[in-house]
Amino acid sequence: MQARPLEGIRVVDYSHFLAGPYVGRCLAALGAEVIKVERPGTGDAGRQHATVLDDEQSGYFLQLNMGKRGVSVNMKDPRGKAFMQRLCDSADVFIENYRPGALDKLGLGYAELSTRNPGLVYCSISAYGHTGPDAHRAGFGLIAEAKSGIMQMVGTPGERPPLLRISLGDMYTGIHAVAAINAALLGRVKSQRGQHIDMALYDTLVSMHEYAVQCYTLQGVLPEQTGHDMPTSTLYGVFRAADGDLVIAAQVDDAWKRFAALVEAHGGPAGFGADTRFHAGTGRNAHRAKILSVVEPWVAARSVASVLELLDGIDVPCAKVQRIDEVLTDPQIQARGMVVEQQHPRYGTLRLPNLPFKFSDCDTTVRDVAPDLGQHNAEVARALGFSPDEIRAMQAEGVLYSKRVNDD
């Protein structure tokens, strides 16, 4: 097996909550040494966000910070600032997701750190980016989802849009940041210089529009809420069976013809499969209501399993709308190793989502659990050249904070 691609790269993860920590988790899986830096006392606010296991860890934090080493530094003490300067001088990558300008006050902005370390790849993630009239505004993924036009397109016509229930803006921006960081590291091989990567949640979600922007700029059509199917791509949507919901994707002409013939052969109206009005996408869209009036009751009269069996038999894409417990036991997910098991010294066996990276000749599954607050203070300080006496003094006085040391 090869070494993982980013082995030998040191990353300082000075981020919190979701987008930044997700970037750090990805880089750790790819082999980088990722050092998670947290504030003394409470640490990353994500430690107390959702499924809190004790006063120090949450499922949220465990998932996003696995594979990292953890330090907790008091930046108000000159020794804490010196520690951070040494750490950043030794780093290849710095990740932060604070409001633009916030880290300048701590001496951790790009201008200062890159002066000391010209090869540093510095990645900032914020709601609106570091330029533009809204750069100063605070924001989360929810704000970007609303601003981007994505939220307005989902849900039932006439009703408030639903929450997406996954952090699309944070996660999608995070994986774009991973790509940008790797590109900058590759570019550094030739230039010998790093650079500042400015990622915005709002930018990322606007970039996701695969058809809505074209609809408006090319045809003057504003996408609207459509409920359970897509009027511009018949037949493509969510359908209710007798015992649950499923999705059907028969929007491609050949798949539609197979599907329509199947419906007719299994109790649908005579001539449904041969109706040439429906054989092309434009015709299906024009007669969408007629098609749905046939397909919806046809599906509703059957179980999910029976519909899936019929459609799988004619190679029409379909799937059950699964609950999370069903996802975790799905043989496909198990075969792909998409649930990683870790052994935690306090919580026992943890089962958390894996990352989707699959390499032919190296394993990127992270087995190391997320660090306790300040768990690796002494280890990292020694590597940075601090003496044993300096480390003991910084630990005793809370400059290097550890819940295990300073709160006992």
Side-chain angles (χ1 to χ4, degrees):
M1 299 288 282
Q2 297 182 34
R4 290 178 295 170
L6 294 184
E7 288 192 11
I9 296 295
R10 171 172 283 181
V11 178
V12 175
D13 182 352
Y14 200 85
S15 65
H16 59 149
F17 268 125
L18 179 51
Y22 178 72
V23 177
R25 180 193 169 179
C26 291
L27 297 179
L30 294 173
E33 175 198 21
V34 181
I35 300 173
K36 170 84 173 180
V37 183
E38 301 178 73
R39 61 190 175 189
T42 57
D44 183 340
R47 288 184 179 273
Q48 298 301 317
H49 182 75
T51 57
V52 176
L53 301 178
D54 56 24
D55 62 351
E56 192 172 347
Q57 295 275 29
S58 68
Y60 190 91
F61 185 87
L62 289 167
Q63 178 172 325
L64 292 167
N65 293 282
M66 62 175 70
K68 304 176 186 178
R69 294 198 290 168
V71 299
S72 181
V73 185
N74 180 4
M75 286 290 291
K76 295 179 181 178
D77 189 292
R79 292 169 295 175
K81 184 170 183 178
F83 176 95
M84 281 303 300
Q85 285 178 332
R86 285 199 206 180
L87 181 59
C88 293
D89 287 350
S90 73
D92 299 285
V93 178
F94 185 93
I95 305 165
E96 62 92 6
N97 60 342
Y98 290 84
R99 200 182 303 197
L103 295 194
D104 294 341
K105 302 170 186 176
L106 297 176
L108 296 177
Y110 174 68
E112 183 166 341
L113 293 187
S114 63
T115 298
R116 298 174 56 93
N117 180 2
L120 184 66
V121 174
Y122 188 111
C123 181
S124 297
I125 302 175
S126 59
Y128 295 100
H130 282 230
T131 59
D134 289 333
H136 67 286
R137 300 182 66 192
F140 294 94
L142 177 68
I143 309 304
E145 290 159 14
K147 292 275 287 183
S148 68
I150 291 175
M151 184 177 287
Q152 184 273 334
M153 294 165 52
V154 298
T156 302
E159 296 184 5
R160 288 177 295 171
L163 290 175
L164 299 181
R165 295 301 303 274
I166 59 169
S167 299
L168 189 66
D170 289 275
M171 302 295 269
Y172 199 63
T173 304
I175 201 62
H176 271 62
V178 172
I181 287 167
N182 278 287
L185 288 172
L186 182 61
R188 191 181 67 167
V189 173
K190 292 183 178 179
S191 69
Q192 302 300 305
R193 294 190 60 82
Q195 56 185 304
H196 185 201
I197 299 168
D198 177 9
M199 302 292 303
L201 275 62
Y202 189 15
D203 291 352
T204 304
L205 290 187
V206 170
S207 79
M208 285 187 69
H209 284 295
E210 83 283 13
Y211 77 95
V213 171
Q214 299 95 305
C215 283
Y216 182 69
T217 59
L218 301 181
Q219 296 180 323
V221 176
L222 285 170
E224 297 292 342
Q225 292 171 300
T226 63
H228 305 298
D229 73 316
M230 191 176 296
T232 57
S233 195
T234 308
L235 180 87
Y236 188 95
V238 185
F239 297 87
R240 176 143 290 177
D243 59 350
D245 298 325
L246 69 149
V247 294
I248 301 172
Q251 80 282 21
V252 178
D253 291 348
D254 288 345
W256 165 261
K257 292 173 184 176
R258 295 194 301 274
F259 174 75
L262 176 80
V263 169
E264 180 179 351
H266 289 79
F272 186 67
D275 195 329
T276 57
R277 294 177 300 170
F278 308 153
H279 285 185
T282 53
R284 287 194 297 277
N285 294 338
H287 297 283
R288 168 174 163 264
K290 172 64 176 176
I291 289 172
L292 293 177
S293 73
V294 172
V295 174
E296 287 177 343
W298 185 85
V299 173
R302 292 164 171 78
S303 68
V304 170
S306 64
V307 175
L308 296 180
E309 182 179 8
L310 288 170
L311 298 189
D312 282 340
I314 59 169
D315 198 26
V316 168
C318 57
K320 181 181 180 181
V321 177
Q322 296 191 132
R323 302 183 309 266
I324 288 296
D325 60 330
E326 295 172 312
V327 174
L328 295 178
T329 57
D330 189 325
Q332 179 67 19
I333 289 301
Q334 293 179 341
R336 297 285 292 173
M338 282 307 300
V339 179
V340 59
E341 287 195 357
Q342 299 178 318
Q343 296 304 315
H344 196 281
R346 294 196 302 280
Y347 312 131
T349 301
L350 302 175
R351 298 176 69 230
L352 297 166
N354 206 349
L355 294 171
F357 307 138
K358 298 288 186 291
F359 289 81
S360 65
D361 202 26
C362 66
D363 183 7
T364 60
T365 300
V366 174
R367 303 297 178 187
D368 296 331
V369 300
D372 288 336
L373 185 58
Q375 179 178 339
H376 301 100
N377 286 340
E379 177 184 319
V380 173
R382 282 194 298 270
L384 295 175
F386 288 93
S387 71
D389 288 342
E390 289 175 313
I391 294 171
R392 279 192 292 270
M394 288 192 292
Q395 288 180 313
E397 297 170 37
V399 178
L400 294 179
Y401 174 88
S402 168
K403 203 169 187 66
R404 297 281 180 269
V405 173
N406 298 100
D407 288 5
D408 290 341

